[in-house]
Amino acid sequence: MTTEQVRVALGDSVGNIGQLRRDLSDIKSRCPDRLRRLGFERLFWFCDCLG
């Protein structure tokens, strides 16, 4: 999925695209420190919204 497709699936605003890109980069990295910074609630929210 592209960042734009993810944004639409999450129902996120266009103005928040920079934060969304950082969040997706953190998730893709699978780095524990970056995932902790993202927060497990936000990570699980991403997973729940994207299936």
Side-chain angles (χ1 to χ4, degrees):
M1 292 178 95
T2 67
T3 302
E4 180 62 18
Q5 290 170 323
V6 171
R7 185 195 66 76
V8 170
L10 295 175
D12 214 351
S13 69
V14 174
N16 197 29
I17 197 81
Q19 180 65 48
L20 179 60
R21 283 190 182 117
R22 282 188 296 277
D23 291 348
L24 292 174
S25 176
D26 288 346
I27 292 168
K28 289 177 186 177
S29 77
R30 297 183 180 181
C31 174
D33 290 333
R34 290 176 71 180
L35 291 173
R36 265 189 231 103
R37 184 181 61 213
L38 176 65
F40 289 111
E41 287 183 26
R42 184 142 170 96
L43 176 62
F44 292 137
W45 176 72
F46 271 99
C47 294
D48 186 47
C49 289
L50 298 175

